[in-house]
Amino acid sequence: MGSFFQIGSSPLMARQSFPIGMFLLGVLIVAVLVVGVWFFTKHLIDYKKSDKYIQKQLSRVTTPKDVKKFCDTHRLNQRMATQLWNLCRTKKLPNINYLIKEHSRINDAFREYYFYIKENGASLEEINDFFELNFQVEKICAATKSLLSTKQLTLESVVFYLTHESEQFPFYVKANTSDYFALEIPKFMYENPNLKPPLLERLRFITKSVDGMTFHFTTRAMRYQTNPDGKVHLILTHSEDLLNQAHRNSKREPIDAECTFSPARVAREEERSKKAIKNKEEEFIVSPKEYPGKITNISTGGCCIKTNLPIKEKQHLSLLIPTLDINEHIVGIIRKTRKLIDNSYNLHIQFLKISLHSKNKINAYAFKYEI
């Protein structure tokens, strides 16, 4: 007799059990595919993070596709995208999406391109667009946070101490260990109780990384130490809470420049020019009276003026800055007035009316292109 083999107790049950086997086989195939895709994706991600891949990207010139990816990622507008492509094309920069991590090369490229477009007759609008892009790229660079801790401060680097009145005094790093860092402070500050940084309180400081990024941090002073040579060191705890200063709307830079300012007011309707009415611009009447002052920091958005006059907040004024070769009257409003220890005053000004020519002059100073 012949032998017979079947699945289940009958041909009907065997046919019913067959789809279950196919289902299990399908599940197995899907699982294998998912694992395969996962391993492939992980390998691809690891490869794109490898030095070999990064060097490959840095060895080729930026393309329009690279610029589009960069601008989409960092939400740069079309004007900035145009400026960035012109810069990359002219300077033949490596893939901008990878070069952005090399701050010194980016800074050098922007500096060289600035003088290039000036020599080739760029308009005021184009130079202003260039500086807007420059500042946005600086903020992108700062987002990589090259300075993570005060432990990275190098000897002899400058750290600015900020008083409660926002006055800045330069201190110098003289020691940096795993437990603390030491700043040399001017003797006149140590001997002046009004200027001497208090112990055990949180103190504010500003410093710059080696690639030029500006950082703000707070920390506590533990003690003072007088060395045999008579120099005074302030011993501080380390801080890892360093915040970059590129969150502003425009680049700000310290300056020590003489200026003159005059009272100003909003023009009445009958005093407004036809041009101002047509363009719906606010117009100001400037007083012929002039007062001396000193600018301590400046950006295209505003500045800080030190003066002996106790001028109240919300007052308008007009400003002349001959040091920066700015001959127009920049009109602003006093947003905050601070009385200083020496009985002078800091006027924090927001600019309300400033030309592109003056903006470009200020930016050229702030980026240290023309000093």
Side-chain angles (χ1 to χ4, degrees):
M1 294 183 61
S3 61
F4 179 79
F5 175 81
Q6 72 176 33
I7 301 175
S9 57
S10 68
L12 178 61
M13 293 183 65
R15 286 195 297 272
Q16 290 175 337
S17 66
F18 181 74
I20 298 174
M22 290 294 292
F23 173 75
L24 295 175
L25 179 62
V27 170
L28 180 62
I29 292 173
V30 170
V32 170
L33 289 173
V34 169
V35 172
V37 170
W38 182 82
F39 273 108
F40 175 78
T41 303
K42 185 176 183 303
H43 174 75
L44 184 62
I45 292 173
D46 290 342
Y47 172 64
K48 287 189 173 182
K49 291 181 179 178
S50 67
D51 291 338
K52 180 179 178 181
Y53 181 81
I54 292 172
Q55 291 306 314
K56 182 179 178 181
Q57 295 301 312
L58 289 172
S59 66
R60 68 172 181 82
V61 177
T62 297
T63 65
K65 186 177 179 181
D66 296 327
V67 171
K68 184 179 186 307
K69 178 183 177 181
F70 184 90
C71 293
D72 289 345
T73 300
H74 301 290
R75 299 180 180 180
L76 302 184
N77 61 37
Q78 186 55 51
R79 289 184 295 106
M80 293 183 191
T82 300
Q83 282 287 335
L84 182 59
W85 168 239
N86 289 337
L87 184 154
C88 293
R89 176 175 53 83
T90 303
K91 303 304 297 180
K92 293 183 171 54
L93 295 183
N95 187 344
I96 188 64
N97 295 285
Y98 291 83
L99 187 66
I100 192 65
K101 295 182 180 179
E102 300 190 14
H103 301 165
S104 60
R105 290 182 67 182
I106 289 288
N107 292 340
D108 291 343
F110 269 92
R111 173 182 288 275
E112 292 171 7
Y113 188 66
Y114 167 72
F115 291 106
Y116 170 82
I117 61 176
K118 279 200 69 178
E119 291 171 2
N120 285 272
S123 67
L124 292 176
E125 290 79 7
E126 289 171 332
I127 295 177
N128 183 63
D129 290 345
F130 163 81
F131 280 124
E132 287 188 9
L133 170 66
N134 200 345
F135 185 61
Q136 291 300 319
V137 169
E138 185 174 276
K139 290 200 289 186
I140 294 167
C141 288
T144 62
K145 205 168 184 181
S146 56
L147 192 61
L148 302 175
S149 168
T150 51
K151 293 179 180 180
Q152 295 173 256
L153 294 175
T154 57
L155 296 182
E156 300 302 329
S157 60
V158 182
V159 176
F160 288 91
Y161 166 60
L162 276 71
T163 67
H164 291 297
E165 293 77 23
S166 295
E167 290 184 279
Q168 297 184 19
F169 293 92
F171 295 172
Y172 295 87
V173 179
K174 291 298 182 179
N176 198 339
T177 73
S178 58
D179 299 320
Y180 67 89
F181 67 107
L183 301 177
E184 180 184 324
I185 73 170
K187 198 168 184 181
F188 77 89
M189 291 189 67
Y190 179 72
E191 295 172 347
N192 187 332
N194 293 321
L195 291 177
K196 182 178 179 181
L199 298 178
L200 304 180
E201 290 187 16
R202 295 203 70 83
L203 307 177
R204 298 184 299 154
F205 296 92
I206 290 178
T207 190
K208 286 189 177 183
S209 60
V210 292
D211 49 27
M213 296 293 118
T214 303
F215 292 85
H216 173 274
F217 67 92
T218 60
T219 188
R220 294 186 188 278
M222 295 188 292
R223 67 181 187 277
Y224 283 98
Q225 176 179 296
T226 303
N227 294 346
D229 58 5
K231 294 182 178 178
V232 180
H233 288 184
L234 178 60
I235 311 300
L236 303 115
T237 59
H238 279 299
S239 172
E240 296 184 356
D241 187 25
L242 278 76
L243 302 175
N244 71 69
Q245 294 288 298
H247 63 278
R248 299 180 183 271
N249 294 322
S250 52
K251 186 172 177 64
R252 178 164 299 197
E253 189 70 14
I255 188 173
D256 184 11
E258 302 294 331
C259 69
T260 58
F261 60 91
S262 304
R265 61 176 175 81
V266 179
R268 293 187 290 269
E269 189 63 30
E270 63 272 16
E271 295 174 312
R272 300 182 68 199
S273 65
K274 292 181 180 179
K275 181 181 177 182
I277 294 172
K278 180 181 177 181
N279 297 331
K280 297 181 180 180
E281 296 176 344
E282 197 166 37
E283 203 163 15
F284 298 89
I285 303 298
V286 178
S287 168
K289 295 181 179 179
E290 292 186 346
Y291 302 93
K294 182 173 287 188
I295 300 178
T296 58
N297 65 62
I298 193 167
S299 73
T300 58
C303 69
C304 180
I305 298 176
K306 186 175 182 180
T307 177
N308 292 323
L309 301 176
I311 306 176
K312 294 181 179 180
E313 298 171 358
K314 299 182 181 179
Q315 302 294 308
H316 292 91
L317 54 76
S318 174
L319 180 66
L320 284 173
I321 317 173
T323 305
L324 297 182
D325 194 26
I326 295 177
N327 299 313
E328 73 158 321
H329 285 271
I330 300 173
V331 179
I333 185 171
I334 303 172
R335 291 301 184 190
K336 185 178 291 186
T337 299
R338 289 179 180 269
K339 187 174 182 179
L340 306 178
I341 295 172
D342 61 2
N343 291 320
S344 63
Y345 296 86
N346 270 350
L347 310 180
H348 297 272
I349 313 297
Q350 177 189 353
F351 294 152
L352 300 178
K353 190 174 183 180
I354 179 172
S355 69
L356 283 179
H357 181 269
S358 295
K359 278 188 173 184
N360 292 341
K361 286 280 187 181
I362 293 171
N363 269 324
Y365 170 81
F367 283 95
K368 293 184 170 60
Y369 294 162
E370 296 181 13
I371 299 179

